[in-house]
């Protein structure tokens, strides 16, 4: 049961993030919601690679008694998470700069004060 | 032939490298920078033609990044862990579209984007966008697909907001939010695959696929995410916002970018799941997406006053034709009818992808030429432009007739294939498709009348030469495809359709055996 | 030549036929009477005198009747295309859930 906690957290994070993107009118809060969804997905990836009592997957200087590869955590999800975090930072920076520009033009952070419709 | 096995990697690497050389050359000379970018785009076009020729004659091409073969040696694992580029007929077909549109957009931008205000960075992002598109269609690795999807959307957003006025920033913001949410759910679906199979390679996952409960969740998320990225109704709302506000050359690129997502949707449905899933159900879902996109897209286009917003709604409506054609193929997959008319429907849908990229790209470029000379996108303020902008109006007529499916242009050939194949499944599909075609013609008559006809109201000149040249590239392709549809279908479109259908060929190319 | 599964489409043949028909039409037309009435050149607008200044119909006025007659449909559509980013994402979530329900429908509903 305790092993399901990370997955429950993942579901909660994605749900909270989606709630923020769907129902919060403040543009900054939408950006925060997207970041929370991203954290949820990243946590999911990391949880997939975890093994109980596993060590870092480095072959040189292995502690004795570690089974290869069963005793190691999976390296691939960690690489994926790292890539995903980097992309997330780029997207967040771009999004916040767009929000800044929109605030300069519209003098409002409300998602309902839009110009394009119909 | 001068074919080299490294071409797939060069095709992605060259624009990435050139993207960051461009600002350096810009310091020396503006003309040298333009020449450099056009040369790179021309080389890309040449390389993709070489690669496509090779793929269409010799079958699937595999390129493994950093090694001789896809497997890993130390663990003696039988699974491909390296990043693989896998170019089959469909991928080469999409690559042709991306490179051609990028070349036209690059030539067009020489005059269209005014100097100053960071034109070098504009070209940098344009080249990155091309690299993102090519990477997305060439990759044989799901995580790599996600990375290129994000590269593509970040570069696109930067370009949509290039002019930095209020509308452009808002369009870019909406596109960024939508594409980032879609990409995150794609990543979640990829994680679901990794949880079960410990694999990321598309061919290997397709080989190991069990169609468990988790796979069903992943399928729903992937279809919804890619359908949103390609602008299928009812997830199309971002498309008019960002298409209408981007610079015209970028809008033409965005059309090709949406089609890269369409490719990913088809790749997931046909190769990743294929015969395992309930393809009747997903086929019907895609047909419904297609019908809704066609009808709502074209009816929303009719009352628009912004010329590019009107065309953006048509882009949605034309995406519906592709979804309809390929959806009918998916619906019939595996039945005996598939070989009779299911394959024809798919050919029609896939042929429509390239036709649409060409004529919709051309139409957006003509809209950009009007904006360049007149400074407005509002149709109410236009009139009588045909008196002076003669070439632009000729290009517009060609594009409008092609999109409305008037013979002998290319839109007619692909629509004819879709009409006839869909009629066999259900006449209602064909009736809706024809009705939408009529309404398309009607709304382009509206644009032509209000922009080009009437008394001379504005004292404008013809668009600059480089813009006309960019449009000429696309016009040439439209006329060529219109005059020789049979050759194009049998040599380019049919191999692409078969590449989607023949799932085992895609798997065996990587897995061997 | 493009095989459509039920018939053929050949653009070159179509163009040749188009040109031939144009020539035939021209020949038939040239066989008509040479003299014509001057007033036949004037367009006939239900007997209304045409104003002298040049008029241009604005884009908003084209298809006004069509849009007016489908007002109910367009009102719904205008409401749907409200341009609010929150609703864009809501539609995506709605469609994803709908797809999930259809995929799992067989197991939920026996």
């Amino acid at each position: 049961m305790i092993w399901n906690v990370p997955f429950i957290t993942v579901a909660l994070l994605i749900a909270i993030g989606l709630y923020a993107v769907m129902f919060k009118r403040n543009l900054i809060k939408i950006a925060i919601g997207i970041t929370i969804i991203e954290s949820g997905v990243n946590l999911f990836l990391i949880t997939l690679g975890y093994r109980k009592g596993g060590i870092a997957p480095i072959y040189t200087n292995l502690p004795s008694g570690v089974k290869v590869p069963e005793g190691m955590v999976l390296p691939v999800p960690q690489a994926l998470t790292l890539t995903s975090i980097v992309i997330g930072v780029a997207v967040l920076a771009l999004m916040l700069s767009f929000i800044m520009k929109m605030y300069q033009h519209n003098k409002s952070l409300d998602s309902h004060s839009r110009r394009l419709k119909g | 032939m001068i074919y080299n096995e490294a071409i797939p990697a060069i095709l992605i690497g060259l624009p990435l490298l050139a993207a960051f050389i461009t600002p350096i050359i810009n310091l020396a000379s503006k003309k040298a920078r333009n020449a450099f970018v056009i040369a790179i785009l021309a080389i890309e076009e040449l390389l993709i033609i070489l690669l496509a020729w090779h793929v269409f004659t010799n079958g699937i091409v595999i390129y493994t990044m950093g090694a001789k073969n896809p497997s890993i040696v130390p663990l003696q694992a039988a699974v491909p862990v390296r990043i693989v580029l896998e170019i089959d007929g469909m991928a080469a077909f999409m690559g042709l579209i991306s490179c051609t549109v990028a070349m036209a957009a690059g030539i067009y931008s020489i005059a269209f984007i005014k100097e100053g205000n960071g034109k070098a960075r504009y070209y940098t992002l344009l080249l990155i966008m091309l690299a993102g598109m090519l990477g997305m269609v060439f990759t044989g690795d799901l995580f790599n697909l996600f990375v290129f999807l994000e590269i593509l959307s970040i570069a696109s957003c930067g370009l949509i907001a290039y002019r930095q006025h209020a509308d452009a920033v808002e369009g870019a913001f909406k596109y960024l939010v939508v594409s980032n949410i879609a990409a995150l759910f794609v990543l979640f679906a990829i994680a679901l695959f990794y949880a079960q199979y410990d694999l990321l390679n598309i061919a290997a996952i397709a080989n190991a696929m069990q169609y468990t409960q988790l796979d069903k969740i992943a399928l729903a998320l992937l279809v919804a995410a890619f359908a949103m990225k390609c602008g299928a109704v009812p997830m199309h709302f971002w498309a008019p916002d960002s298409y209408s506000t981007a610079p015209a050359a970028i809008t033409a690129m965005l059309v090709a970018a949406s089609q890269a997502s369409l490719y990913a949707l088809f790749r997931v449905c046909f190769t990743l799941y294929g015969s395992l899933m309930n393809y009747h159900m997903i086929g019907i879902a895609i047909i419904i997406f297609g019908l809704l996109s066609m009808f709502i897209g074209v009816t929303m286009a009719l009352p628009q006053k912004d010329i590019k917003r009107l065309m953006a709604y048509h882009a949605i409506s034309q995406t519906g034709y592709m979804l309809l054609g390929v959806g009918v193929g998916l619906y019939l997959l595996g039945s005996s009818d598939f070989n009779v008319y299911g394959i024809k429907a798919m050919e029609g849908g896939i042929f429509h992808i390239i036709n649409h990229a060409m004529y919709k790209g051309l139409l957006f470029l003509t809209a950009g030429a009007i904006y360049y000379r007149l400074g407005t996108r509002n149709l109410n303020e236009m009139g009588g432009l045909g008196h002076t902008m003669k070439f632009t109006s000729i290009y517009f007529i060609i594009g409008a007739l092609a999109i409305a499916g008037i013979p002998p242009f290319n839109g007619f050939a692909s629509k004819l294939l879709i009409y006839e194949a869909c009629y066999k499944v259900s006449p209602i599909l064909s009736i809706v498709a024809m009705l939408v075609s009529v309404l398309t013609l009607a709304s382009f008559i509206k644009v032509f009348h209000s922009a080009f006809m009437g008394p001379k109201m504005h004292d404008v000149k013809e668009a600059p030469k480089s813009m006309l040249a960019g449009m000429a590239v696309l016009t040439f392709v439209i006329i060529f495809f219109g005059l020789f549809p049979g050759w194009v279908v049998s040599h380019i479109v049919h191999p692409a359709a078969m590449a989607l259908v023949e799932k085992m060929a895609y798997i065996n190319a990587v897995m061997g055996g | 030549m493009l095989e459509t599964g039920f018939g053929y489409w050949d653009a070159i043949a179509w163009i040749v036929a188009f040109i031939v028909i144009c020539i035939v039409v021209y020949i038939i037309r040239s066989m008509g009477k040479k003299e014509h009435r001057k007033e036949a050149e004037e367009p006939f607008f239900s007997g209304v005198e045409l104003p002298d200044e040049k008029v241009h119909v604005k884009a908003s006025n084209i298809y006004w009747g069509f849009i007016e007659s489908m007002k109910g449909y367009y009102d719904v559509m205008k409401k749907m295309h409200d341009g609010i980013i929150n609703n864009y994402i809501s539609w995506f979530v709605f469609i994803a859930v709908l797809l999930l329900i259809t995929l799992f429908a067989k197991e939920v509903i026996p």
Side-chain angles (χ1 to χ4, degrees), chain C residues 24-40:
Chain C
V24 170
V25 167
Y26 179 78
I27 291 170
I28 293 173
R29 188 182 182 281
S30 60
M31 281 156 65
K33 284 185 181 174
K34 287 285 183 290
E35 69 277 9
H36 64 284
R37 291 175 298 131
K38 189 75 187 150
E39 61 267 28

Side-chain angles (χ1 to χ4, degrees), chain B residues 174-482:
Chain B
K174 283 176 176 170
Y175 185 61
L176 188 59
V177 169
V178 161
S179 59
N180 200 31
I181 294 273
L184 284 175
F185 279 94
V186 169
L187 184 61
F188 189 75
I190 294 169
L192 287 175
F193 291 134
Y194 192 80
Q196 299 174 76
Y197 309 117
D198 283 352
L199 292 168
L200 288 171
N201 189 289
I202 294 176
I205 293 176
N207 197 27
M209 179 71 77
Q210 304 289 326
Y211 200 50
T212 57
Q213 305 289 346
L214 288 182
D215 287 335
K216 284 186 188 174
I217 297 175
L219 175 65
L221 292 180
L222 285 172
V223 169
F226 285 128
M228 175 153 86
K229 277 283 285 174
C230 74
V233 171
M235 299 173 285
H236 65 288
F237 305 107
W238 61 271
D241 293 350
S242 39
Y243 280 15
S244 62
T245 51
I250 298 312
T251 315
M253 292 281 282
L254 277 177
V255 171
S258 307
Q259 289 174 339
S261 300
L262 199 66
Y263 160 84
L265 176 65
F266 296 157
R267 180 60 81 204
V268 165
C269 290
F270 282 92
T271 307
L272 209 52
Y273 285 85
S275 50
L276 283 167
M277 67 178 185
N278 186 348
Y279 39 74
H280 263 73
M281 193 118 66
I282 292 295
I284 289 174
I286 290 183
I287 290 173
I288 290 172
F289 277 144
L291 287 179
L292 280 176
S293 303
M294 278 157 53
F295 190 74
I296 292 184
V298 80
T299 45
M300 279 308 289
L302 269 176
Q304 295 301 323
K305 288 189 281 288
D306 178 333
I307 181 168
K308 280 177 76 183
R309 204 171 172 83
L310 186 146
M311 288 179 182
Y313 275 110
H314 279 296
I316 295 163
S317 146
Q318 299 298 310
T319 308
Y321 279 97
M322 301 159 209
L323 290 169
L324 175 65
V326 180
V328 164
L330 192 61
Y331 174 73
L332 294 168
L333 191 67
S335 71
S336 58
D337 289 335
F338 181 80
N339 291 328
V340 189
Y341 49 88
I343 187 73
K344 290 290 168 197
M346 282 191 64
E347 281 175 4
I350 291 169
F351 192 21
H352 207 68
I353 294 179
I354 197 164
N355 289 344
H356 174 244
M358 298 305 142
Y359 57 63
K360 185 43 66 71
L362 177 67
L363 285 170
F364 275 125
L365 295 188
T366 54
I370 295 171
Y371 179 77
Y372 182 82
R373 282 296 181 218
L374 217 57
T376 177
R377 298 196 308 264
N378 192 340
L379 279 170
N380 284 335
E381 294 170 20
M382 296 176 191
L385 299 177
H387 290 284
T388 43
M389 302 177 79
K390 292 205 171 57
F391 281 105
T392 309
S393 47
I394 288 170
Y395 289 142
F396 182 87
I397 292 173
I398 291 173
L401 291 180
I403 196 175
I406 304 290
F409 293 102
N410 59 357
F412 175 76
S414 52
K415 281 184 180 174
L416 184 69
L417 282 168
I418 295 173
Y419 295 155
E420 293 202 344
C422 291
Y423 185 82
K424 280 285 174 181
V425 176
S426 164
I428 294 170
L429 301 181
S430 290
I431 291 168
V432 173
M434 286 180 192
L435 179 72
V436 169
S437 221
V438 171
L439 289 174
T440 307
L441 183 63
S443 66
F444 274 99
I445 287 173
K446 167 181 163 174
V447 176
F448 185 71
H449 177 86
S450 50
F452 293 104
M453 307 257 276
K456 195 170 173 180
M457 288 164 66
H458 305 276
D459 193 25
V460 290
K461 282 189 294 209
E462 179 59 277
K465 282 204 183 70
S466 87
M467 287 163 72
L468 293 178
M471 293 190 255
V473 172
L474 295 178
T475 311
F476 171 76
V477 178
I478 289 172
I479 290 176
F480 177 78
F481 282 12

